[in-house]
Amino acid sequence: MIVMNLELDNLLGFDDFKINFSYPRKIVNSTIKGEFLPNKTNFRFKKVNILLGVNASGKTTLGKAMMHIFNFITHKSPVRLLESVKDKRRKAFFSIDFLIDENIMYRINCEINLDEKDHSKSILMLEVYTAPIGKRDSYEICVRKLEQVKVKDDNKSSLDVLDSVKNLGWHFTFPDIGNTDIRIDKDVLSLDILKRVLKTLDTSITDVQKSDEVENSYVIRSRNGDIFIQNGKIIEDILSSGTKMGIDISYVISSICKGMHGFYYVDEKFTFIQTDIEQFLLGIMIDKLGPLEQLFFTSHNLDLLDMDLPVHSFTFLKKDENIEAVYPSDFIKKNDISIRNAFVNDVFGTTPDLSQLWDLGEFCDE
Amino acid sequence: MSNRNYNYFVEGETEACLIRAIRQKYIQSGRITKINLLEKDIPSGFIKTIKPFTILIIVFDTDVDDMKLVERLKNNTGKLKKSSHVKDVILIPQVNNLEDEIKYATDISEIKDLLQSKSNKDFKRDFCKCNNVTDCLVKHSFNIEKFWSRKARNKYSIFENDGKKIKLKRRR
């Protein structure tokens, strides 16, 4: 699945928020292969989206908003969306443009009038639009071709219009909730990938073996003792924070290699992991993405800005009054300019404001 | 853009808003920190965080003619220059403050005229809310060569105005 555009208003931390995932011009010798639809090269999309931003700028919340929307589209259950309405007295809204294959682009607009006392009485105004993607069409052309899908059967509810959208796939992994998919998709995690990732993260690990006795379980052989992982959960917790993250990361890489989900949102999984390892593993994820797949990767690591990736792969989220998306590609037009240097010099207006910290030492003296 | 890092120290939000508006167009872009280095000593913790090849730009008002303030700025500048990571410390004395600098570099006689503020007092608030500061400056014949170009005539006259070092040459 590919998300092309997302608009959020009065949902989670977002007000009047827009983020777009198309890019204007073909990139010559791009290090990311196939950032366009197969055989439809004018339909360009950002296959890799590295989201950076200071703390509380909305990186995790954006993932959660997308997750709620995907769940709503697939299961027609608006519960999470209704819980996400920020100002209960005001209408909330989302609009999402996406594709599941190379033939049709979808737009779903949804306006939410929340009934504060009884959520089940809330009113959802739902519109689904589709546009066929022609051989020479770009995203922008398809936007102009969008036509509304009507529910013809009077007995059906307005939510049934979502029946026209099928086969959405996604995988979200957040630092606080870990990777629940390991429990469900038992055969996805590759032992070879897990072994190599964990041995890189912890040199005391000598081997990783799949348990013959307990289902969906692994034994990590370490010079400090054996560690048992069952359903993605570590039984004896003697691993470092970074090594623990390695299990989730191995799952993500395994599922990308197997083309399991098509859409991946990897949220700050590398906080405890050394920067060279983060860059290397991100590089592998990017290389292994399939033709109609998309990766979202959030991080605080500015070293990622030095990776040899197109400028459009990077988006900053920044929060002043509202959260907004800032695209370095709007500021940097030449390839010979360092994105990192531009960031450090606050060209994008996204460096953290440290003014509050200047007096901190004086409080310690007191 | 070279590998140099620019870091502006300004007294308040109005200066920060101005720099955000004119950087990349008239002056080098750089990180902005709101701190009055005439009134506060530079924390030694900050000096450890300065990145290599950093150029520090201190923008300060000169309307309070007080030798204590001058001495503190001198002292802070000296501390910063000692860091091997600091390539240069550029001082920009505003004569006498931001409002006077804007008036000097444009065709307005009162600061409220820049944004049609109700009064001169409302200017700061309006300025920070304005999202087309550059257009308003251009409309009033903003001359970047005149802006941040003067040396103070009071106790601050010991500081040269090195504003020209951070001005971009390609655009007027």
Side-chain angles (χ1 to χ4, degrees):
Chain A
M1 180 175 69
I2 306 294
V3 177
M4 295 303 301
N5 192 65
L6 180 70
E7 298 181 16
L8 302 166
D9 189 35
N10 195 26
L11 278 174
L12 291 165
F14 298 97
D15 277 307
D16 194 19
F17 174 81
K18 289 175 187 164
I19 189 163
N20 187 271
F21 306 108
S22 64
Y23 65 93
R25 278 178 302 278
K26 188 185 168 191
I27 309 286
V28 182
N29 296 328
S30 174
T31 51
I32 302 175
K33 298 293 169 212
E35 278 203 295
F36 42 79
L37 291 181
N39 302 319
K40 294 174 181 176
T41 53
N42 290 339
F43 200 104
R44 291 176 288 270
F45 64 90
K46 296 179 190 174
K47 200 169 180 169
V48 177
N49 293 280
I50 299 171
L51 303 175
L52 301 159
V54 299
N55 297 91
S57 58
K59 301 183 294 294
T60 300
T61 321
L62 179 65
K64 293 202 169 158
M66 284 181 169
M67 188 169 68
H68 295 339
I69 290 170
F70 295 166
N71 272 305
F72 168 65
I73 294 169
T74 305
H75 306 298
K76 297 184 201 168
S77 165
V79 179
R80 291 280 189 199
L81 274 180
L82 298 176
E83 286 169 359
S84 304
V85 175
K86 201 169 119 182
D87 180 350
K88 316 277 183 214
R89 294 158 299 178
R90 201 157 62 78
K91 282 177 191 171
F93 175 78
F94 79 78
S95 174
I96 186 166
D97 294 355
F98 62 97
L99 15 149
I100 301 162
D101 58 34
E102 64 268 48
N103 300 317
I104 297 171
M105 185 171 91
Y106 292 89
R107 170 172 290 177
I108 295 180
N109 291 345
C110 180
E111 192 180 280
I112 303 164
N113 286 294
L114 186 77
D115 187 314
E116 222 177 314
K117 287 178 187 155
D118 184 354
H119 280 197
S120 66
K121 287 183 181 165
S122 302
I123 298 166
L124 270 78
M125 306 283 283
L126 194 66
E127 294 168 343
V128 176
Y129 297 82
T130 58
I133 305 171
K135 200 165 168 51
R136 294 178 189 280
D137 287 351
S138 64
Y139 163 70
E140 291 73 19
I141 288 172
C142 287
V143 167
R144 293 200 289 271
K145 284 165 54 176
L146 284 166
E147 278 184 28
Q148 193 169 358
V149 178
K150 299 278 184 194
V151 184
K152 286 167 190 162
D153 187 343
D154 290 342
N155 296 324
K156 285 193 166 186
S157 85
S158 66
L159 288 180
D160 288 323
V161 75
L162 292 173
D163 287 342
S164 57
V165 185
K166 289 191 180 74
N167 301 325
L168 248 65
W170 66 82
H171 175 72
F172 289 87
T173 175
F174 298 104
D176 56 342
I177 56 172
N179 192 334
T180 50
D181 287 353
I182 294 182
R183 287 199 291 274
I184 306 154
D185 300 325
K186 295 187 173 94
D187 298 323
V188 175
L189 184 60
S190 153
L191 181 63
D192 286 331
I193 290 172
L194 182 67
K195 201 184 287 185
R196 278 162 179 77
V197 170
L198 293 188
K199 283 171 86 171
T200 305
L201 292 171
D202 185 344
T203 50
S204 69
I205 292 173
T206 52
D207 199 10
V208 181
Q209 295 164 342
K210 203 163 172 46
S211 168
D212 296 329
E213 290 145 23
V214 187
E215 196 191 30
N216 204 25
S217 300
Y218 298 84
V219 183
I220 300 172
R221 307 277 182 210
S222 162
R223 282 193 282 274
N224 304 321
D226 290 352
I227 303 131
F228 199 62
I229 312 171
Q230 190 176 9
N231 291 324
K233 205 173 170 186
I234 300 151
I235 306 297
E236 286 163 76
D237 197 354
I238 56 166
L239 294 176
S240 74
S241 305
T243 314
K244 274 187 269 185
M245 288 293 187
I247 299 166
D248 283 359
I249 292 162
S250 301
Y251 175 85
V252 174
I253 296 172
S254 303
S255 54
I256 289 175
C257 289
K258 290 179 180 171
M260 285 295 295
H261 305 289
F263 178 98
Y264 301 88
Y265 199 99
V266 182
D267 183 38
E268 283 182 34
K269 280 286 160 187
F270 289 82
T271 310
F272 303 111
I273 290 175
Q274 199 269 343
T275 175
D276 290 350
I277 301 173
E278 177 172 6
Q279 290 179 60
F280 200 92
L281 293 177
L282 171 59
I284 288 174
M285 289 182 202
I286 292 170
D287 277 353
K288 297 295 172 190
L289 276 176
L292 270 159
E293 296 188 328
Q294 200 173 28
L295 172 68
F296 286 76
F297 188 93
T298 80
S299 180
H300 284 286
N301 185 1
L302 296 180
D303 288 349
L304 301 184
L305 295 171
D306 290 331
M307 287 179 76
D308 187 6
L309 295 170
V311 183
H312 69 242
S313 305
F314 298 95
T315 301
F316 284 92
L317 292 182
K318 110 175 183 182
K319 188 177 185 180
D320 289 327
E321 275 182 38
N322 294 333
I323 299 171
E324 65 173 300
V326 179
Y327 309 105
S329 51
D330 288 349
F331 300 84
I332 294 177
K333 303 293 178 194
K334 291 178 187 167
N335 287 335
D336 59 346
I337 292 173
S338 151
I339 312 174
R340 189 194 180 103
N341 192 250
F343 169 82
V344 170
N345 283 312
D346 205 25
V347 170
F348 319 129
T350 52
T351 55
D353 180 6
L354 304 181
S355 307
Q356 292 291 328
L357 300 179
W358 277 75
D359 294 343
L360 213 61
E362 291 172 26
F363 290 105
C364 296
D365 295 340
E366 280 171 20
Chain B
M1 187 180 286
S2 67
N3 281 333
R4 288 180 183 168
N5 304 311
Y6 293 85
N7 203 332
Y8 288 87
F9 295 106
V10 296
E11 290 190 7
E13 184 57 25
T14 324
E15 280 87 357
C17 290
L18 177 92
I19 293 170
R20 277 185 213 117
I22 67 169
R23 64 185 173 191
Q24 291 282 84
K25 296 181 184 80
Y26 294 109
I27 59 170
Q28 288 287 356
S29 188
R31 187 175 189 147
I32 304 164
T33 304
K34 281 175 280 171
I35 183 163
N36 189 340
L37 291 178
L38 277 68
E39 289 178 354
K40 297 237 175 207
D41 290 331
I42 198 115
S44 57
F46 166 75
I47 294 172
K48 295 177 186 71
T49 67
I50 298 173
K51 292 181 173 63
F53 308 108
T54 293
I55 293 169
L56 300 165
I57 304 129
I58 304 172
V59 181
F60 57 96
D61 289 349
T62 58
D63 47 4
V64 182
D65 202 14
D66 183 338
M67 206 55 208
K68 267 188 193 168
L69 302 181
V70 173
E71 283 301 323
R72 182 173 277 114
L73 180 61
K74 231 167 89 177
N75 194 22
N76 278 331
T77 310
K79 277 190 204 169
L80 292 168
K81 280 183 176 168
K82 277 184 193 165
S83 164
S84 60
H85 283 189
V86 173
K87 191 100 179 134
D88 197 2
V89 178
I90 294 171
L91 296 176
I92 301 181
Q94 300 195 112
V95 182
N96 295 300
N97 51 35
L98 180 65
E99 289 89 328
D100 287 343
E101 283 289 339
I102 292 174
K103 282 194 284 179
Y104 179 68
T106 57
D107 57 12
I108 57 172
S109 52
E110 286 201 77
I111 197 65
K112 66 176 182 177
D113 298 337
L114 185 74
L115 306 172
Q116 269 76 53
S117 299
K118 280 183 186 165
S119 69
N120 288 337
K121 272 188 179 176
D122 291 325
F123 165 74
K124 283 189 178 183
R125 188 199 59 207
D126 293 348
F127 191 77
C128 291
K129 278 188 179 173
C130 179
N131 50 22
N132 61 341
V133 166
T134 318
D135 293 345
C136 294
L137 288 168
V138 169
K139 196 174 140 190
H140 290 285
S141 317
F142 179 66
N143 183 343
I144 186 63
E145 281 168 24
K146 286 175 83 177
F147 189 70
W148 285 349
S149 65
R150 294 172 294 171
K151 198 172 157 178
R153 289 186 176 172
N154 51 11
K155 294 192 174 74
Y156 297 91
S157 61
I158 60 164
F159 302 116
E160 289 297 322
N161 190 328
D162 281 328
K164 58 182 179 303
K165 287 188 183 175
I166 48 118
K167 289 176 189 172
L168 300 175
K169 286 173 188 138
R170 60 194 162 88
R171 194 170 160 170
R172 292 170 70 89

